[in-house]
Amino acid sequence: PVAVVALYLVLGSPNALKPAGEQIATAERGHGDSPEQIEALVQQLQERLDSHPDDAKGWAILGRSYLALEQFSDARRAFGKAVKLNGEDPALLVDYADALAMDRKDQSLEGQPMDLIDRALKLDPNNQKGLWLAGTAAYERHDYRAALNYWQKLYALVPAGTDTAKAMESNIQEVE
């Protein structure tokens, strides 16, 4: 998250060049990955977006940063703003669905999260995160045939031996 936010601050705002440059230099020295450093960069990005609220990419990066920090309410709000600005990006839609579900007490993908996942998969039927989440939602509602279909499709898309492939092998075996 440090590198993504710092890079965005450099490329997304000339006024942020000096502070971000200092942050990157600190990160390169091996001191930039502390929770305090990450929080500071995320806060800096939040402040930048408060003054440039029409920046869909910035809101998406902020949302992904909050997801990585497990600040799900903040991630949900940031993704909500990004989707209002760019609602046709499948990756953004599934990230928003993930944040919505994670921000729920039961972390359910049903309802609005699943609507967003379906929308993303219509735009990009091979969206890997969308397939994973759709399979998870189907599994949770005991629709094992649908879960198997989503996960087999995802399994066919990922390189053999990767963590994702191994997870899908396990999921597929369990469902079968």
Side-chain angles (χ1 to χ4, degrees):
V2 171
V4 171
V5 173
L7 182 61
Y8 181 76
L9 289 169
V10 170
L11 297 177
S13 171
N15 294 333
L17 183 60
K18 186 173 180 182
E22 291 170 11
Q23 299 294 344
I24 292 169
T26 301
E28 288 174 349
R29 288 192 302 269
H31 304 290
D33 56 356
S34 72
E36 296 81 14
Q37 182 75 14
I38 294 169
E39 291 286 340
L41 286 172
V42 169
Q43 181 60 40
Q44 189 176 359
L45 179 56
Q46 177 68 62
E47 290 169 5
R48 181 189 178 287
L49 290 169
D50 288 342
S51 62
H52 297 90
D54 293 335
D55 185 350
K57 285 186 180 182
W59 287 113
I61 290 170
L62 184 63
R64 289 180 181 116
S65 299
Y66 282 135
L67 267 183
L69 294 170
E70 298 183 3
Q71 295 178 10
F72 303 121
S73 293
D74 293 328
R76 178 183 45 81
R77 282 190 291 280
F79 283 128
K81 291 180 181 185
V83 166
K84 283 182 184 175
L85 296 168
N86 182 15
E88 299 303 311
D89 179 344
L92 182 57
L93 292 170
V94 295
D95 284 340
Y96 185 30
D98 190 15
L100 284 169
M102 294 302 292
D103 195 37
R104 292 178 168 177
K105 190 173 228 168
D106 65 356
Q107 297 185 340
S108 171
L109 289 162
E110 293 306 313
Q112 186 182 7
M114 196 61 224
D115 292 344
L116 291 164
I117 294 165
D118 287 339
R119 192 165 131 201
L121 289 174
K122 283 180 182 147
L123 293 167
D124 177 9
N126 294 324
N127 181 285
Q128 293 181 13
K129 186 173 182 178
L131 291 169
W132 189 311
L133 293 176
T136 301
Y139 183 85
E140 288 174 352
R141 65 178 178 269
H142 306 288
D143 184 351
Y144 301 118
R145 182 174 307 280
L148 186 62
N149 288 337
Y150 286 120
W151 288 339
Q152 285 176 331
K153 184 172 184 176
L154 175 56
Y155 182 71
L157 295 172
V158 298
T162 61
D163 289 342
T164 301
K166 290 175 186 174
M168 286 304 101
E169 287 171 2
S170 175
N171 289 355
I172 290 167
Q173 285 176 346
E174 183 177 338
V175 170
E176 288 177 336

